[in-house]
Amino acid sequence: MGQHDLSPAQARSLLGSEVLIGRSTPDLDQARAAVEDPEVDYWLITNRGVDGSPGGGGASMSG
């Protein structure tokens, strides 16, 4: 899910515990927040800004 989508808690309430919820993040600070969020199962740092401007690749980790 991107920064402008539902929050992970909102998605969890709609989808239940059987669905994995991921968070795309444009920077390290938001990735840290995703790691701390108990509703986020995995996260991805993209090279796209919050405004969607292109960059390239990314890195991900399970939470």
Side-chain angles (χ1 to χ4, degrees), residues 1-58:
M1 298 174 26
Q3 299 304 312
H4 302 291
D5 297 327
L6 294 175
S7 72
Q10 291 170 318
R12 180 70 64 214
S13 71
L14 291 171
L15 301 172
S17 61
E18 298 297 316
V19 174
L20 293 176
I21 294 177
R23 183 62 131 180
S24 62
T25 62
D27 59 49
L28 189 55
D29 289 335
Q30 289 185 19
R32 287 183 181 127
V35 167
E36 297 297 321
D37 189 332
E39 301 300 340
V40 174
D41 299 305
Y42 67 94
W43 51 268
L44 170 75
I45 297 177
T46 65
N47 285 339
R48 290 184 177 270
V50 174
D51 65 355
S53 58

